[in-house]
Amino acid sequence: MGPTSRRSALSAGKPRPAPRWRGDTVPGTYLETVIGRAWARARPLSEIGASADLGGVRGVDRRDAMTSWRRRPKGIRRAGLGFVVAGALAAGAFVGTAHGAQTGDATSGPTCGPNQIPRGDGCVSRAQAARQINAIVARTMRQKKLKSAIYSVRVGNRDVVTRARGTSMTGVPARPNMQFRIGSVAIAYLGTLALILQDEGALDLDEPIARHLPNARNADTITPRMLLLGTSGNRDFVGYGPFNRDFYADPFRQFTEKELIDYVYAQKPACEPGACWGYSHGNFIILGQVMSRATGTPLRTLIQRKILRPAGLRNTASFSTARIPSPVLHAFTRERGTYEESTFWNPSWTLARGAVMTSNIRDVARSARVIGAGRLLSPGAYRDLLAPTTARFPMWNDRIFYGLGVVSANDWVLQNPSFAGYFAAMAYQPSQRISIAVASTKLAGAKIDPNYSNELVGTISRYLSPGKGLPASR
């Protein structure tokens, strides 16, 4: 189905649904009730009380546990932390075995033949595993009304399957080399980049940002670590009325960083810096400026030199416009009330300049391995990446928490972006060296909010790692 008129529901006089956000990019980017159910209200711990159960959303009144979630128009609700939050809170596993760069690439499990991979306590042929994964994807596509699904799975050094199913556009089959927006995958790059710069002495994650951005709000208190962890107190502009109206009135608009930060500063802080947790796109825009000023180097160049090049991510790039290199996986959405093509909606508001990126499924799967195993980091920095600092806040606990640009859940390291009809997820299990990456788009009849790439990654993880996969979302 081709794109429809940009006027869509607006010209028809229908109420415009607010943008939908999943994880790190445009309205609709970073699982269904992921941050729906779990987006904990950004309240200081002193308000919650020492007796509060911080083990998850169950321990907080749901009306108080969701920062303006109910007030956000359905479209702009964040869905990216999907099963990570919904399922992992119910899981009993502690997310700690991934700590340490050497531990990150450690292998556990049986020794298998050349055409086999470990699965649980035994081995299975790669062909059999590929057939099972293909069946999982095909079933989910039928049930959830997905237009396309591109996926790549690897166990240890052995590729299991890389494949595309469905169509990019009518009559155009989806292909594994197609490019798409990767949203919050780039947040994982930012977390690793910040730790590299700290090891090099160029950036101190615990020094107030006033040294580099003296005019930023609370610059004498907020640190780069708070920006990465989501504890700065800055509210998100996604869900904020003026931004929602501006974006959906013209989704092709090129926002400036100043405009985006102005949306943040137009809102009263949720708390004093360090006193609460809350996701804010503005944090990553400010962080990008801090890293650029600290090094005297544009963020795009920093990411290229210290992340993409050493990681061998040759098909990943950032652009200052809505460009996507060919071949393009096309996206469609009903966020504005009508099913329309959204491939080239402008992602300028989603992250800092230089971190708004596109890629293909092989590079995203490789990113899961490189970031999840800490291959670019010193052992100490890798421990820092996955330190459970946010476990004390209501939305999180010591089994699932937000690290420095990644989510740690049930011994898996994850990110799950969604933006304007694009939905993706990547996950890495360090002890078994399992990497899974999925990107998907939807048909007109699909539900708008859920990131079904999350569901696919979770189901595949439970097949490959019985009893140790990602928890099922509810």
Side-chain angles (χ1 to χ4, degrees):
M1 180 178 294
T4 59
S5 168
R6 285 174 56 184
R7 294 178 300 171
S8 63
L10 299 181
S11 59
K14 300 177 182 178
R16 177 179 62 204
R20 100 182 342 95
W21 166 242
R22 280 106 185 136
D24 98 317
T25 337
V26 146
T29 153
Y30 231 147
L31 197 153
E32 179 181 323
T33 52
V34 172
I35 303 192
R37 258 188 224 125
W39 222 242
R41 183 180 181 87
R43 292 189 298 155
L45 291 177
S46 58
E47 288 186 26
I48 297 169
S51 62
D53 173 12
L54 300 186
V57 174
R58 291 194 188 99
V60 183
D61 186 310
R62 294 184 66 158
R63 290 167 298 180
D64 290 335
M66 313 181 222
T67 17
S68 63
W69 166 256
R70 298 291 184 192
R71 298 197 302 270
R72 295 173 188 252
K74 191 172 184 181
I76 202 163
R77 296 177 185 172
R78 309 170 179 128
L81 296 175
F83 56 70
V84 175
V85 169
L89 287 175
F94 178 73
V95 194
T97 60
H99 295 179
Q102 303 306 313
T103 305
D105 271 327
T107 304
S108 65
T111 301
C112 300
N115 293 315
Q116 296 179 315
I117 60 168
R119 178 176 179 265
D121 295 329
C123 299
V124 64
S125 72
R126 281 193 283 176
Q128 180 181 344
R131 285 194 297 271
Q132 183 64 33
I133 292 168
N134 289 334
I136 288 171
V137 175
R139 180 175 63 249
T140 302
M141 289 185 70
R142 289 193 303 271
Q143 293 174 345
K144 306 302 183 181
K145 297 181 174 59
L146 300 185
K147 187 177 185 66
S148 69
I150 306 176
Y151 49 104
S152 184
V153 180
R154 184 171 181 169
V155 179
N157 294 322
R158 298 174 183 178
D159 292 321
V160 179
V161 61
T162 297
R163 183 173 177 178
R165 305 179 74 96
T167 60
S168 171
M169 297 186 294
T170 302
V172 180
R175 303 199 303 272
N177 64 336
M178 282 183 163
Q179 294 265 328
F180 50 90
R181 303 198 190 283
I182 62 171
S184 59
V185 170
I187 294 178
Y189 299 160
L190 292 179
T192 289
L193 174 61
L195 289 165
I196 292 172
L197 294 178
Q198 178 164 261
D199 272 0
E200 292 175 349
L203 181 68
D204 184 344
L205 293 186
D206 298 306
E207 179 184 42
I209 62 174
R211 176 179 175 185
H212 308 293
L213 294 176
N215 295 323
R217 187 172 67 186
N218 291 329
D220 292 330
T221 310
I222 292 175
T223 66
R225 186 181 302 277
M226 292 177 184
L227 295 171
L228 270 170
L229 290 175
T231 60
S232 69
N234 287 329
R235 293 187 183 273
D236 202 358
F237 53 76
V238 174
Y240 177 55
F243 170 77
N244 289 3
R245 290 192 295 271
D246 291 346
F247 174 76
Y248 277 119
D250 181 10
F252 303 94
R253 173 176 170 176
Q254 180 83 16
F255 287 92
T256 67
E257 290 193 335
K258 182 182 183 305
E259 289 173 327
L260 297 172
I261 293 173
D262 284 346
Y263 289 126
V264 174
Y265 290 170
Q267 305 172 79
K268 181 181 177 181
C271 64
E272 290 297 316
C276 64
W277 186 90
Y279 187 89
S280 173
H281 292 79
N283 282 341
F284 302 108
I285 295 170
I286 297 168
L287 177 67
Q289 294 179 346
V290 169
M291 291 196 287
S292 293
R293 295 196 181 189
T295 60
T297 305
L299 182 61
R300 178 180 181 177
T301 303
L302 288 172
I303 294 174
Q304 178 66 37
R305 289 177 181 173
K306 298 184 181 295
I307 304 293
L308 304 186
R309 192 177 299 162
L313 301 174
R314 299 180 180 85
N315 296 292
T316 303
S318 66
F319 299 97
S320 58
T321 66
R323 176 191 172 195
I324 304 177
S326 182
V328 178
L329 177 67
H330 285 249
F332 301 81
T333 185
R334 289 190 291 115
E335 290 180 24
R336 298 200 299 171
T338 298
Y339 187 68
E340 59 184 324
E341 176 157 10
S342 52
T343 306
F344 297 103
W345 283 14
N346 199 319
S348 59
W349 61 267
T350 59
L351 282 172
R353 296 293 176 267
V356 180
M357 312 189 83
T358 62
S359 190
N360 64 20
I361 202 66
R362 287 188 174 89
D363 266 19
V364 173
R366 187 174 183 85
S367 297
R369 295 189 292 274
V370 171
I371 301 298
R375 295 180 187 175
L376 303 180
L377 297 174
S378 66
Y382 186 52
R383 288 191 293 272
D384 208 2
L385 179 77
L386 298 177
T389 307
T390 60
R392 65 193 180 100
F393 295 108
M395 177 175 165
W396 309 108
N397 58 38
D398 60 1
R399 304 182 303 276
I400 172 170
F401 50 85
Y402 199 82
L404 293 177
V406 293
V407 173
S408 184
N410 217 18
D411 198 25
W412 292 75
V413 183
L414 318 112
Q415 261 297 356
N416 51 348
S418 46
F419 163 80
Y422 284 111
F423 300 86
M426 71 174 192
Y428 183 73
Q429 213 281 0
S431 63
Q432 299 177 76
R433 298 170 64 198
I434 300 173
S435 61
I436 308 170
V438 178
S440 62
T441 59
K442 296 180 179 180
L443 294 167
K447 292 182 179 179
I448 298 175
D449 278 329
N451 181 346
Y452 292 121
S453 292
N454 277 328
E455 183 171 323
L456 282 167
V457 167
T459 305
I460 294 168
S461 78
R462 293 188 291 278
Y463 164 71
L464 291 173
S465 183
K468 297 180 181 179
L470 286 159
S473 61
R474 295 183 178 181

